């Protein structure tokens, strides 16, 4: 989202909640829709990791979270391009 940690956390939580609905509907209709229905889950995880990165940037005394950074970079450079 690139606005703030609060925006990333709210967006991530909302998107992950919606992904539960899309995955459930995909399982009810046909399992072949499951890969497409799981995209919101992955995007929500990326947004949550971005929120944790914002927290580490906003608080100079906090150590940057390497797990959050690696998760965000995984989605940005490896997952979404494919």
């Amino acid at each position: 989202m690139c606005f703030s940690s609060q925006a990333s956390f709210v967006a991530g939580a909302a998107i992950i909640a919606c992904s539960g609905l899309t995955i459930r509907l995909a399982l009810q209709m046909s399992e072949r829709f499951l890969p497409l229905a799981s995209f919101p889950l992955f995007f929500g995880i990326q947004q949550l990791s971005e929120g944790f990165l914002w927290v580490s940037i906003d608080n100079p005394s906090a150590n940057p979270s390497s797990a959050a950074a690696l998760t965000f970079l995984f989605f940005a450079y490896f997952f979404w391009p494919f």
Side-chain angles (χ1 to χ4, degrees):
M1 289 300 209
C2 297
F3 298 121
S4 66
S5 61
Q6 296 88 358
S8 293
F9 286 133
V10 169
I15 293 169
I16 288 175
C18 290
S19 73
L21 177 65
T22 60
I23 290 171
R24 188 182 67 178
L25 289 174
L27 289 174
Q28 288 176 352
M29 292 171 46
S30 174
E31 289 184 5
R32 66 186 176 116
F33 295 121
L34 192 58
L36 184 62
S38 62
F39 269 53
L41 176 65
F42 299 132
F43 186 61
I45 293 170
Q46 180 186 8
Q47 286 302 306
L48 288 179
S49 68
E50 182 179 345
F52 286 115
L53 286 175
W54 273 108
V55 168
S56 68
I57 290 171
D58 291 339
N59 187 0
S61 64
N63 292 333
S65 173
S66 61
L70 290 175
T71 303
F72 182 79
L73 290 174
F74 166 75
F75 283 108
Y77 288 116
F78 298 108
F79 186 80
W80 295 122
F82 298 106

